[in-house]
Amino acid sequence: MLLLGWSAFSLFKKFMNPDASKFSNTKNGKKMLACSVCDTHVPESDAIIKNGKTFCSKEHSE
Ligand SMILES: [Zn+2]
């Protein structure tokens, strides 16, 4: 029962704090960044960073 409670608590925390996932690492260790325009998550290596903002594509960076 303790494990169940912990799982529920983790889910609750995730639900209460959705923004925390925006800049968190994925399971495979690749850093994901959210596009400032459409909020799509792209790997850091594929993201376009302009003026301190992150974009998923060239189109959105313009
Ligand atoms: Zn975008």
Side-chain angles (χ1 to χ4, degrees), residues 4-19:
L4 196 75
W6 185 82
S7 301
F9 180 68
S10 301
L11 269 170
F12 179 72
K13 255 169 72 175
K14 217 182 239 178
F15 180 73
M16 290 302 284
N17 202 8
D19 282 347

Side-chain angles (χ1 to χ4, degrees), residues 11-44:
L11 269 170
F12 179 72
K13 255 169 72 175
K14 217 182 239 178
F15 180 73
M16 290 302 284
N17 202 8
D19 282 347
S21 65
K22 269 190 178 177
F23 298 102
S24 67
N25 294 334
T26 54
K27 277 171 197 162
N28 61 14
K30 228 179 188 183
K31 200 175 179 190
M32 301 292 282
L33 299 167
C35 174
S36 295
V37 177
C38 63
D39 214 32
T40 295
H41 285 68
V42 287
E44 192 177 29

